[in-house]
Amino acid sequence: MKRKDDTKRTKMLDAAAEIILQEGAAAISTIKVAKAVGVAQSNVYLYFKNKNDLLLNTYQRELSRIRSAGDTFQYFNDAALPIEQRVDSYVHSIYDYAIEHPDSLTLIEQIKMLNLSEMDLFNTDTVVIDLITEAIQKGYLKNLPVNLHMVTVFNIMHRHALNLKENLYSKDQYSYKEISQMVLDAIKATKR
């Protein structure tokens, strides 16, 4: 059974997410969150140290949702599988999640754009960082910074999902294979 405190915290994170989606991450404030939930601003500080902590928790919740959305994350660090299959599993998991939850990726993108100094957002997903680092070391991916690989996958999948949400084209018009090939063309090392 959920504790009452968990429910309030969840409502505050939900309110923060809604504000970010409607007004952008820069517009977030503890006052707006408190008003949206129907509590005093001081109550927000019972759950979050400050606005940045609220943003970080919103960001981490979205990452957790991505990780728990499918079973493909379990394959990322399975050394028994070929690195190509593991990278494809990662790309496919982001694709699937983006299609189902484009707003979640919008939240992540909005919070990242704030470039908050105490929030090292690119280093919070160590499973993906480890996978990409290994793929670079094995020569499967280009020898470029890990965060550039992550941004490439994220942004292409996010833009595709938003295009679908905005009815710019139908889901059937471009297959996963076509979209993933675009990603892999961008991040894969070229064979000489």
Side-chain angles (χ1 to χ4, degrees):
M1 188 164 116
K2 261 191 174 175
R3 291 187 0 236
K4 191 174 182 178
D5 288 350
D6 291 341
T7 302
K8 261 192 190 170
R9 184 178 188 284
T10 299
K11 285 181 180 178
M12 289 177 193
L13 289 171
D14 291 344
E18 191 58 35
I19 292 165
I20 293 167
L21 290 172
Q22 296 298 317
E23 302 176 39
I28 199 80
S29 73
T30 55
I31 294 171
K32 286 181 181 179
V33 169
K35 185 176 178 182
V37 176
V39 298
Q41 182 185 12
S42 60
N43 285 358
V44 176
Y45 294 113
L46 296 174
Y47 301 92
F48 307 101
K49 290 185 282 188
N50 53 37
K51 176 177 92 169
N52 287 353
D53 188 41
L54 175 64
L55 287 165
L56 179 60
N57 277 273
T58 303
Y59 176 85
Q60 289 173 334
R61 180 177 82 163
E62 296 310 311
L63 282 184
S64 293
R65 287 177 171 174
I66 293 173
R67 280 188 215 106
S68 63
D71 56 357
T72 55
F73 256 83
Q74 68 183 332
Y75 301 116
F76 293 1
N77 287 329
D78 184 351
L81 297 173
I83 194 69
E84 298 85 357
Q85 185 178 350
R86 292 163 51 207
V87 169
D88 183 64
S89 180
Y90 161 61
V91 171
H92 208 161
S93 68
I94 300 301
Y95 173 87
D96 289 342
Y97 191 80
I99 299 300
E100 292 297 318
H101 308 281
D103 287 345
S104 180
L105 296 182
T106 299
L107 288 169
I108 290 170
E109 183 179 77
Q110 282 284 321
I111 295 169
K112 279 184 177 179
M113 286 184 352
L114 290 177
N115 199 22
L116 303 170
S117 60
E118 70 274 9
M119 293 170 55
D120 190 4
L121 300 178
F122 279 111
N123 291 323
T124 59
D125 203 346
T126 57
V127 173
V128 174
I129 292 169
D130 292 346
L131 171 67
I132 293 173
T133 300
E134 181 182 347
I136 291 168
Q137 291 168 347
K138 290 185 173 183
Y140 182 63
L141 297 181
K142 293 176 182 173
N143 189 11
L144 293 169
V146 170
N147 64 358
L148 292 179
H149 288 285
M150 292 170 71
V151 165
T152 301
V153 173
F154 180 93
N155 284 341
I156 290 172
M157 297 310 178
H158 184 217
R159 184 69 259 164
H160 174 62
L162 290 176
N163 287 350
L164 292 173
K165 182 180 177 184
E166 296 163 5
N167 294 313
L168 297 179
Y169 49 80
S170 72
K171 187 176 180 183
D172 299 335
Q173 192 168 352
Y174 301 103
S175 68
Y176 165 73
K177 187 174 181 176
E178 291 170 302
I179 301 298
S180 67
Q181 190 58 55
M182 181 180 189
V183 171
L184 291 174
D185 287 347
I187 65 175
K188 248 174 69 173
T190 53
K191 303 288 182 198
R192 294 192 173 135

